[in-house]
Amino acid sequence: MKYTSLPAFAFSLMLLPAAAYAQDYEAAVKSSLPDFAQANAFSGVTINVACRHLPAMDFIESHKALFEQYTGAKINFTDYPENDLRSHIVADAANKAGGFQLYCLDDNYIPLFASNKWVQPLDSVIKPAYKIDDLFDSLKSAYSWQGKLSGLPIYSEVTILYYRKDLLAAKNIAVPKTIAELEDAAVKLKNAPRTYGIALRGLRGEGMNVYTWTEWLRSYGGDFLGPQMQPVFNSPEAIEGTEHYAKIIHDAGPPGSGTWGWPQVSSSFAAGRVAMTVESTAFYPTFNDPKQSNVVGNVGYAVVPAGPKGAYPANYAIGLAVAASVDPSSKAFTATSDFLQWATSQQMEFARTAQGIGNEDRKSVNQSALLKSKLDPAYIEAVSEGQKITKTNYRPMIPQWREMGDIIGAHIESVFTGSTTAKDALDAAAAEVSDRFKTEGVLNTPRQYEELFPSN
Amino acid sequence: MTATGGIAIGSSPRLAPRRRSWLRSPWLVPLPGFLLLAVLSLPPFLYALYLSFINVDISLPNNKVHFVGLANYAQVLGSPVGQHALLITLIVSFGSTAAAIVIGLVIAYLIHLFAGRLDGLVTVLVLIPLAVSPVAMALVFSLMLDPLYGPVPQIVAFLTGALIAPTGTSLGALLTIIFVQTWQWSPLAVILLLGGIKSLPIEPIEAAMIDGASFWRALWHIHLPLLRPLLAVAAIFEFILCSQVFAATELLTNGGPGNATVDLSLYIYKIGISESSQVSVAAAAGVITLILGLISTAVWLKVAKWDVQVYQ
């Protein structure tokens, strides 16, 4: 007994500080309630949330009882599959059905929803306790439409360069800082058919190939739209960027990877079949989970490589917004906006980080000792730097973006598979987008956002 | 008739009281069925037809909805993406129908000639693909053809040294879709044709063989013509099944590379729901698909002459 209990006792002593920390963060979530809402003020109010499963969302859902007990409001979460969520929310918003008070929205839906007045502006109700300036700046502007805050983020990501430390060291290759170095390293690291140099997204889609291809477009100086909303993403710079993206897939990517989406890209890196990838920070847990990854301990992290015009990490965020059907003068609106701020507060984010749910939205969490104790410092550095340099209008934040992105995605996929040239594909996409903009009545109207290269 | 000497046969006015004429209408018996079908299928069809002549776009809720004539049809038939989708629909449905009939015929003859007493068991095994859900099948094929983990590219790499990605090129992806459709639906042709082969008279073949015809000549000139009505029926069924592609194009290639395997159904899904919100254009494409289906079936019926007896 004595001999077994002694190590157990020592072990529990070691665990004690960590456990105490987690409890402290939980306690802070509870004790922060008076900063966000009045006690027993919202009895009879029901808040329906249209959302999808995300670790951060599930974490909020598991804490909703605290808010319910404190304020008397009732909160229902309705989880939809990712692809169904949008149509449910659009139907609710467009028909003013009022079925939901909170919508879970990707940042690139904010322009569509805000311009159609489907969501309520939030500027006047943000409380000092929310510490809004603590959010990454790019994230705050992504959730604003024409200067009005239209939602609050619960999840954010940027892209970073993941590389295999062991493979680069074996060939004595330095971590690529430019796209030229990346191309060079990828070809040198290719050892077919066992390992390939790099995997990048090729599959069509605004959230697929366009998400990472835009880095190349921006890095070579390409823009999406001119001052009068005319498509310019078939400019010589854009063609050059697209050719480089296609070339690295062709020269160093696995066969057929011109049609890969993120599932194939991430699983091939986790399986150790590719040496590098430029992917979302969302894959950090996958690559570091021994159950899903063969490369634990060998993964290096860096800011995405730069082209002639600099480095442009992709960004993406998910947040919650208050439906327009909630009357801003009503008790329901106060309850909804109070709950929203509490649910996305700094305290909540620390508590979920303590539970190992990453993807931080706030500078304070990103730079905290808590995060450093949980994640690779090189990764934290890459995220912090990436969040600093990423641009809100990396992709145009306009209501038409999704559709325009999908049109571009379909055409550039055939460049990545070698079926057509970058010029032909981008010209065809530009013509299609022009037609569509004409129908929508936005062609030859002033552009509503700042392009990254204003010279165009 | 006159030999019956005035005794009336059937529903004579003298034996049964005369009913009102509408009660004897040939339309009366199937009327409830027609009504049910009309209630269930006409409203959505008429609504789709209505949608296809106006300009509904979900992402533009403040747009004024008005009559646009044939503009949506012009967009489907006039745009490169729409034309390509039409072409892919024709290639996939005719290609996989032809392949399914040929393969079904070969397998049916093989079972008939060589399976002997095991033919029941073999037929059940052959039928397995019919029972597999198209979604499951598309996913299984996408795993099998995966260049890094799939067995098919691994075997090819072992034999030739080159790792290939079958769905990585436009032609490869199109052939893969046709192959998957053929694999799924050819068993139907097998059972239809096997039944036909077994029921055909053996005498004409025997007579021809006695007259000195080779096995192949007898098969080609006597057996196959006898089988023609069944071949035609099988072809019509196969065409209806093979032209309904969605799981394979959506899950196996996602219409890719680029637009290489986007057929009309996937085009409708993408332009109306998943990538754009032009519901009216999608409705117009749906009507075009329907018309195309009707024309194709009519052409099949005409070409195949399935209701014409052969040696009579």
Side-chain angles (χ1 to χ4, degrees), chain B residues 7 39 47 72 97 100 111 113 133 165 173 177 197 215 263 272 300:
Chain B
I7 297 169
V39 168
Y47 184 60
N72 295 322
T97 303
I111 292 177
L113 294 174
S133 142
I177 297 292
I197 291 167
F215 173 76
D263 70 337
W300 272 118

Side-chain angles (χ1 to χ4, degrees), chain B residues 171-279:
Chain B
L171 182 65
L174 190 59
L175 290 176
T176 307
I177 297 292
I178 293 177
F179 176 80
V180 169
Q181 285 297 99
T182 309
W183 187 82
Q184 171 125 53
W185 299 121
S186 54
L188 187 77
V190 173
I191 34 170
L192 281 174
L193 297 176
L194 187 61
I197 291 167
K198 282 185 186 297
S199 68
L200 284 184
I202 195 76
E203 293 82 0
I205 296 271
E206 282 177 347
M209 302 278 257
I210 289 166
D211 286 347
S214 72
F215 173 76
W216 294 111
R217 268 183 77 91
L219 191 71
W220 187 252
H221 289 287
I222 296 170
H223 213 239
L224 278 182
L226 282 172
L227 206 56
R228 201 191 63 201
L230 254 163
L231 274 172
V233 173
I236 290 164
F237 276 119
E238 288 292 340
F239 184 78
I240 291 168
L241 292 169
C242 287
S243 55
Q244 294 168 358
V245 200
F246 188 75
T249 46
E250 165 68 7
L251 295 170
L252 186 54
T253 64
N254 192 24
N259 279 323
T261 52
V262 176
D263 70 337
L264 273 175
S265 357
L266 195 60
Y267 174 76
I268 292 170
Y269 176 64
K270 282 187 187 293
I271 204 161
I273 299 169
S274 78
E275 291 187 354
S276 183
S277 44
Q278 304 172 62
V279 178

